[in-house]
Amino acid sequence: MTDSWQECMNHCVEVTKQAGKIVREALEKDIAVMEKSSPTDLVTETDQRVEKLIISAIREKYPTHCFIGEESVAAGAPSVLSDAPTWIIDPIDGTTNFVHRFPFVSVSIGFTVNKEVEFGIVYSCMEDKMYTARRGKGAFCNGLPIKVSGQEDITKSLVLTEMGLKKDPEHFKTVMDNIQKILNVPVHGVRCPGSAAVNMCLVACGAADAYYHQGIYCWDMAGGAALVTEAGGVIVDITGGPFDLMSRRLIVASSPRVAQRIAQELAVFPCGRDDAP
Ligand code: LIP
């Protein structure tokens, strides 16, 4: 039987390569930066151009499929996940890194059917690493299999998160307190690389043991989610319960034990849902 989602994945890899080439070329030129919701929420002409290219190249081949894209949502498109085949796109994950040429900048695409992630592609543009994962078929970086560290001991773990600049001082304090709590466990260290999708790939290939975040979006998580689970890791809600792609929060880890130990430390704050009306 032909695996029609595998055909979609093959097409996605080709489209991601084209998108990545545009991002890499843009890094060589002047970058005009615009602000979205706040002075720290940045967008560039490249984010918008790359998202348009990805959507048109996919829509041409799969006209009935649905899309959720970061820049389309910013322009007013709905962000609702249905059972239909859906492409969830972040044209540049790590826009602030892109603006500063800090080397973790990715194109991230996740594909869902019946709200389950069927495959994820993350291309780390400056590192030239193409991460791919198909449900049930493993995770790869540039064609070579990758797996999580398997670390079970939080005190031997390297943990990733992001700080962001929260407008609400209460949220900001909680983010900072959470980092302090994790450092005090203790862990080997905490890092903030600046691209959620790359963070998940770093856990997937064993370079870090966990990543947690509250306040990101489904397009930051969808591609990387497939990578982590197919590499043998776990993905759970920030409370330690089941992961929900539209919940804007997650913990990914090398083992259930590390994920649950992190959940035990973290204070939760309301960050809304992607599909909130
Ligand atoms: C960004 C993430 C980053 C996070 C930001 C933002 P963008 O995505 O990948 O890790 O800290 O809040 O969501 O906006 O560059 O696609």
Side-chain angles (χ1 to χ4, degrees):
M1 196 178 85
T2 49
D3 177 351
S4 54
W5 307 144
Q6 182 63 48
E7 286 169 22
C8 292
M9 180 169 167
N10 297 345
H11 184 56
C12 187
V13 172
E14 291 312 311
V15 172
T16 306
K17 278 184 193 163
Q18 289 171 36
K21 187 166 177 282
I22 294 174
V23 176
R24 286 167 64 97
E25 284 168 1
L27 283 160
E28 304 292 322
K29 301 176 188 153
D30 285 344
I31 300 173
V33 187
M34 295 164 278
E35 290 174 11
K36 286 201 284 190
S37 61
S38 73
T40 54
D41 185 11
L42 308 180
V43 66
T44 70
E45 183 268 334
T46 308
D47 296 69
Q48 295 162 339
R49 188 170 148 224
V50 169
E51 181 161 319
K52 279 190 191 130
L53 171 134
I54 293 171
I55 293 180
S56 69
I58 296 170
R59 187 169 272 151
E60 202 182 333
K61 212 163 153 70
Y62 304 106
T64 61
H65 288 189
C66 299
F67 296 88
I68 300 175
E70 176 173 19
E71 304 315 329
S72 310
V73 171
S79 176
V80 177
L81 188 61
S82 72
D83 287 340
T86 302
W87 301 74
I88 304 179
I89 300 157
D90 193 340
I92 300 184
D93 185 50
T95 302
T96 305
N97 286 354
F98 172 72
V99 165
H100 292 271
R101 298 175 175 84
F102 190 76
F104 301 113
V105 172
S106 61
V107 177
S108 173
I109 305 179
F111 176 78
T112 64
V113 180
N114 295 323
K115 302 188 182 75
E116 297 289 330
V117 180
E118 283 290 336
F119 63 79
I121 311 288
V122 177
Y123 176 61
S124 181
C125 307
M126 291 170 82
E127 301 180 287
D128 193 19
K129 288 183 177 172
M130 179 69 79
Y131 292 94
T132 57
R134 166 87 178 94
R135 187 154 71 99
K137 295 196 173 159
F140 299 84
C141 177
N142 290 345
L144 298 173
I146 54 172
K147 60 180 173 50
V148 295
S149 67
Q151 183 58 258
E152 299 242 349
D153 184 346
I154 186 78
T155 69
K156 295 191 171 71
S157 295
L158 185 65
V159 179
L160 311 179
T161 190
E162 296 296 336
M163 289 180 283
L165 188 58
K166 306 288 164 212
K167 277 174 273 177
D168 177 343
E170 269 306 302
H171 287 185
F172 186 63
K173 188 173 181 314
T174 310
V175 169
M176 292 302 164
D177 288 350
N178 279 341
I179 292 176
Q180 194 173 6
K181 284 189 213 162
I182 296 294
L183 282 168
N184 280 339
V185 167
V187 295
H188 274 181
V190 171
R191 303 281 184 271
C192 300
S195 161
V198 170
N199 291 348
M200 284 188 263
C201 293
L202 290 169
V203 174
C205 66
D209 305 295
Y211 162 55
Y212 73 88
H213 201 149
Q214 302 186 65
I216 49 171
Y217 298 89
C218 59
W219 48 80
D220 297 315
M221 304 193 280
L227 263 301
V228 172
T229 48
E230 285 304 315
V234 293
I235 177 162
V236 295
D237 182 56
I238 205 90
T239 59
F243 172 64
D244 173 348
L245 185 55
M246 305 308 272
S247 68
R248 300 194 53 199
R249 56 198 211 177
L250 86 171
I251 301 171
V252 300
S254 51
S255 66
R257 210 164 132 209
V258 166
Q260 294 304 327
R261 185 66 186 83
I262 289 173
Q264 201 183 315
E265 291 297 325
L266 298 178
V268 177
F269 56 81
C271 50
R273 292 184 56 81
D274 278 304
D275 51 8

